[in-house]
């Protein structure tokens, strides 16, 4: 394992251990008070799902997957909010569990800082492929690619594949939002459309329209539109993740639609960030090449 990646992976594995410990302290064990009750106030079993997801991503990062590292950066932002909030939001917890929640949030902050450092290291070294190769770089072979990179930076255009990728994930996000609004009855003749918290679910249609409008500009390479799309996607990620808890929603279909919306919005943010820094089609440094360091 590369020296640059080792701290990230070790911290991620430590976070997985903390997730398991938190689930146990919350009573999620055979015969325990919170052993998969399915009730809103006893969703502590989700800590085990986080542990599994975190471990899978850690394995992928250890294998040198740059996209997995980007995904883990997004998860760190999510856990930095989720761990402190769920320490108090899902019913009373023992003090040991609260301490574990905040300890996990601290580890997530370290993961975020360290992962960003590794990601920036790979981004700042576009010639890592040749830097760590046994043979020296060929000036004549490197120049055309550098010229092409400079041309792309100058035009600000988005490659066709990247444009379709941004458009596709944004459409998927809009469909998830619209499906949520339709399921909750915000149709002509359905539930009343009001500004109160009980009747404001129609706002998902506004979210979908804004996301599609910004994406329509982003696919043409507008730097402001690309950055705005990232901000909108991250806002929707937080909103989709925590609205069910704040509204005390228990309908499994609504929870599933919110979960799909959260993950797709995170995908929109990661894809757009990848396009801004060069896109997946460019032959830039990947985290895998850091293993040669």
């Amino acid at each position: 394992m590369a020296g640059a990646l080792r701290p990230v992976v070790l911290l991620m594995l430590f976070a997985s251990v903390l997730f398991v410990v938190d689930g146990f302290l919350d009573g999620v064990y055979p015969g325990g008070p919170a052993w998969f009750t399915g009730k809103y106030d006893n969703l502590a079993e989700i800590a085990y799902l986080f542990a599994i997801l975190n471990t899978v991503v850690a394995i992928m990062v250890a294998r040198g997957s740059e996209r997995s590292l980007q995904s883990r950066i997004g998860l760190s932002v999510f856990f930095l909010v989720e761990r402190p909030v769920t320490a108090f939001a899902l019913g009373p917890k023992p003090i040991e569990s609260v301490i574990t929640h905040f300890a996990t949030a601290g580890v997530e902050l370290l993961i975020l800082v360290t992962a960003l450092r590794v990601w920036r290291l790979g981004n700042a070294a576009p010639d890592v492929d040749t830097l760590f190769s046994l043979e020296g770089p060929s000036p004549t072979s490197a120049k055309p690619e550098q010229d092409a990179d400079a041309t792309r930076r100058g035009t600000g255009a988005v490659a066709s594949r990247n444009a379709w990728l941004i458009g596709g994930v944004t459409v998927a996000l809009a469909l998830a939002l619209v499906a949520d609004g339709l399921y909750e009855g915000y149709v002509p003749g359905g539930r009343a459309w009001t500004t109160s918290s009980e009747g404001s679910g129609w706002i998902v249609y506004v979210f979908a329209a804004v996301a599609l409008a910004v994406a329509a500009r982003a696919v043409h390479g507008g730097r402001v539109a690309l950055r705005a799309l990232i901000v909108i996607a991250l806002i929707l990620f937080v909103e989709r993740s925590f609205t069910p808890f704040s509204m005390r929603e228990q309908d499994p279909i609504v929870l599933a639609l919110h979960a799909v919306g959260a993950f797709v919005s995170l995908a929109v943010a990661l894809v757009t960030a990848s396009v801004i820094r060069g896109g997946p089609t460019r032959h830039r440094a990947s985290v895998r090449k850091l293993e040669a360091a």
Side-chain angles (χ1 to χ4, degrees):
M1 186 186 303
L5 289 175
R6 186 178 295 110
V8 180
V9 176
L10 291 178
L11 286 171
M12 291 174 64
L13 295 177
F14 182 51
S16 294
V17 173
L18 289 177
F19 281 125
V20 173
V21 171
D22 176 62
F24 183 83
L25 292 175
D26 285 345
V28 186
Y29 51 84
W35 178 245
F36 290 93
T37 62
K39 298 180 180 179
Y40 165 78
D41 290 334
N42 286 324
L43 291 178
E45 60 266 15
I46 200 172
Y48 292 143
L49 299 179
F50 288 158
I52 295 172
L53 174 63
N54 185 58
T55 303
V56 171
V57 176
I59 294 173
M60 297 176 67
V61 171
R63 292 180 176 179
S65 172
E66 183 181 13
R67 291 188 180 277
S68 298
L69 184 64
Q70 293 173 339
S71 299
R72 192 57 181 82
I73 291 173
L75 286 175
S76 293
V77 175
F78 169 73
F79 289 138
L80 276 173
V81 178
E82 184 272 340
R83 287 289 88 186
V85 170
T86 54
F88 304 102
L90 298 180
K93 298 180 183 295
I95 187 61
E96 296 86 354
S97 176
V98 174
I99 293 174
T100 305
H101 271 254
F102 279 92
T104 308
V107 173
E108 289 297 330
L109 180 59
L110 292 176
I111 292 174
L112 177 61
V113 173
T114 309
L116 282 172
R117 173 182 170 274
V118 175
W119 183 69
R120 288 173 179 173
L121 178 61
N123 187 34
D127 294 324
V128 171
D129 293 23
T130 56
L131 181 62
F132 294 109
S133 64
L134 295 178
E135 299 178 358
S138 173
T140 57
S141 61
K143 186 175 180 180
E145 184 175 341
Q146 294 172 356
D147 292 342
D149 289 346
T151 301
R152 280 191 290 267
R153 293 192 190 102
T155 60
V158 173
S160 176
R161 176 183 173 184
N162 291 337
W164 279 104
L165 193 58
I166 292 176
V169 292
T170 306
V171 168
L173 173 59
L175 289 176
L177 294 170
V178 171
D180 181 37
L182 293 176
Y183 178 78
E184 296 199 43
Y186 291 100
V187 295
R191 294 180 60 174
W193 296 31
T194 67
T195 56
S196 63
S197 58
E198 293 78 9
S200 61
W202 55 269
I203 201 170
V204 293
Y205 299 140
V206 178
F207 292 159
V210 171
L212 290 175
V214 176
R217 297 294 302 170
V219 295
H220 295 294
R223 307 292 284 185
V224 174
L226 287 169
R227 285 169 171 77
L229 186 59
I230 292 179
V231 173
I232 291 171
L234 291 177
I235 291 174
L236 289 176
F237 172 70
V238 175
E239 187 273 337
R240 292 286 92 185
S241 299
F242 293 103
T243 300
F245 299 110
S246 63
M247 300 295 292
R248 296 183 177 272
E249 181 63 61
Q250 298 187 27
D251 189 329
I253 297 180
V254 173
L255 293 175
L257 289 172
H258 274 257
V260 171
F263 282 109
V264 177
S265 60
L266 181 59
V268 172
L270 293 176
V271 167
T272 307
S274 177
V275 171
I276 289 177
R277 63 184 293 264
T281 58
R282 289 177 57 184
H283 299 289
R284 296 178 62 112
S286 67
V287 176
R288 183 185 299 277
K289 300 307 177 181
L290 293 175
E291 297 185 357

